[in-house]
Amino acid sequence: MTPANPGLKHLSNALATPDQLSNTSSSIDGVPTDLETSIRCAGAQLTQAAGILLHLPQDTIAQAIVIFTRFWLGADGGSLRIYSAKDVSAAALFLTAKLSFNPTSPRSILNVYNFLLSQEVSPLWFVNPRGAPREPPPSESYILTEGGYQSARLVLMRIESVILRTLSFDTHVALPHTIALTYLQTLGVTKSAVARRTVEHLNATLFSPQLLYVTHQPNALAVAAIYLAAREEEFKLVDGEWWEVFDVDREELGFLVVGMRSTEGFMRAEVEQWRNRPIPLVIDQVDAEIDRRQNMREGE
């Protein structure tokens, strides 16, 4: 990744290079680009859902999603044919929580993931296409047995160490949320709806297929979210090209605004594409999906 600005280390991130984006380990191993995108997005949503159930702060969850995303980038990154997305998601959340003021036990992490990944009781559309049951499921349907917990714990610890090695132990993630709120105050924005919509855009962008959190610095993400929120709430900001004050040029702003606006459409398309079947989040399922597509091509 391209190193962050040393003078603004705590407010900036190391960014992915074009080569890392186009030549991932998964693509080298024959995972189609659209399948890789679907799995990465589903993994990010899984991380978000698990963090909410664990009552973790949104900044901790967002940092975990960014670490999860970084893990798959480049030829030296993780491959979806070697590591299961569900395991990387759990380990990224466990690692990030451990580094925060809200550490979470391995048992809590693994029980939550076991629930969310159950194709019988999961409320997640990409795991359980039939939808969550109307009646609350019995706890024995998703709480791990002691033997199951011990096995899963070993996997969790192993994948955590793999993530750290893959990222060269660089777990720093600067988020745009606090920066955006500071910019709103600087711009004199007093309408709470604009601030709320700004944060909503920043959270939704965590699932962007363009991977905006690893290709653009937090200040640029903050500016784009403010610009878009103000437009949607019909709130007039200061005259002139105010974004340049925050070190963002018009071209970058335009790209980010388009990217943020496209996330909702992308998510709708994903739901439509995977309507009747789960998105593969384990290695065997990924291999089966690749084989299914190959058989379909050969049968044409």
Side-chain angles (χ1 to χ4, degrees):
M1 288 191 168
T2 304
N5 185 331
L8 298 172
K9 182 177 180 180
H10 297 294
L11 296 177
S12 59
N13 294 313
L15 299 182
T17 65
D19 182 66
Q20 287 177 314
L21 294 171
S22 59
N23 296 303
T24 65
S25 183
S26 296
S27 65
I28 294 170
D29 285 344
V31 180
T33 300
D34 67 308
L35 178 58
E36 184 178 0
T37 299
S38 293
I39 296 173
R40 272 199 311 241
C41 181
Q45 293 176 75
L46 175 62
T47 309
Q48 177 73 46
I52 291 173
L53 291 182
L54 290 163
H55 304 290
L56 292 173
Q58 180 58 32
D59 61 341
T60 300
I61 300 172
Q63 289 169 348
I65 292 174
V66 174
I67 287 177
F68 170 83
T69 302
R70 287 177 180 171
F71 175 76
W72 307 105
L73 299 178
D76 296 327
S79 169
L80 289 165
R81 304 195 82 165
I82 298 176
Y83 303 103
S84 293
K86 70 175 183 65
D87 294 336
V88 177
S89 168
L93 192 60
F94 175 65
L95 171 62
T96 307
K98 181 193 296 186
L99 298 173
S100 74
F101 294 108
N102 301 276
T104 302
S105 70
R107 190 178 295 274
S108 295
I109 288 272
L110 294 171
N111 278 332
V112 163
Y113 271 81
N114 199 48
F115 166 67
L116 290 174
L117 292 164
S118 169
Q119 294 191 358
E120 285 72 41
V121 301
S122 177
L124 300 177
W125 65 268
F126 52 87
V127 173
N128 180 14
R130 294 172 298 179
R134 293 185 178 182
E135 297 296 327
S139 60
E140 57 266 22
S141 65
Y142 58 87
I143 296 297
L144 286 166
T145 64
E146 187 59 29
Y149 164 68
Q150 293 298 337
S151 297
R153 185 178 182 278
L154 290 175
V155 174
L156 180 70
M157 299 304 169
R158 180 176 67 85
I159 299 300
E160 180 191 22
S161 67
V162 170
I163 291 174
L164 287 170
R165 290 197 306 271
T166 301
L167 300 184
S168 300
F169 291 84
D170 182 4
T171 59
H172 169 73
V173 177
L175 296 173
H177 299 67
T178 302
I179 296 173
L181 296 178
T182 301
Y183 288 178
L184 286 168
Q185 292 180 333
T186 303
L187 293 167
V189 177
T190 57
K191 189 175 181 181
S192 60
V194 176
R196 182 175 63 254
R197 194 74 182 114
T198 296
V199 173
E200 288 174 353
H201 278 303
L202 291 176
N203 289 336
T205 302
L206 288 164
F207 314 124
S208 164
Q210 295 97 341
L211 309 182
L212 299 180
Y213 268 76
V214 298
T215 58
H216 294 268
Q217 294 294 359
N219 68 302
L221 295 171
V223 166
I226 291 170
Y227 180 91
L228 193 52
R231 291 284 297 271
E232 292 171 345
E233 296 296 329
E234 298 181 347
F235 184 90
K236 181 175 174 54
L237 296 171
V238 296
D239 293 330
E241 298 184 343
W242 57 269
W243 47 87
E244 293 187 351
V245 175
F246 302 119
D247 198 27
V248 180
D249 60 38
R250 180 182 291 275
E251 182 179 358
E252 183 177 21
L253 173 61
F255 178 85
L256 285 172
V257 167
V258 171
M260 288 182 177
R261 293 184 65 180
S262 69
T263 301
E264 182 179 352
F266 165 76
M267 295 297 293
R268 284 198 302 265
E270 285 292 288
V271 173
E272 181 65 26
Q273 178 183 351
W274 297 94
R275 175 182 294 180
N276 299 317
R277 52 201 174 93
I279 295 178
L281 294 172
V282 299
I283 299 169
D284 290 346
Q285 293 174 351
V286 173
D287 291 340
E289 174 64 18
I290 293 173
D291 289 342
R292 185 189 71 83
R293 295 186 178 197
Q294 184 174 352
N295 291 336
M296 288 180 63
R297 288 195 299 269
E298 292 174 353
E300 291 178 352

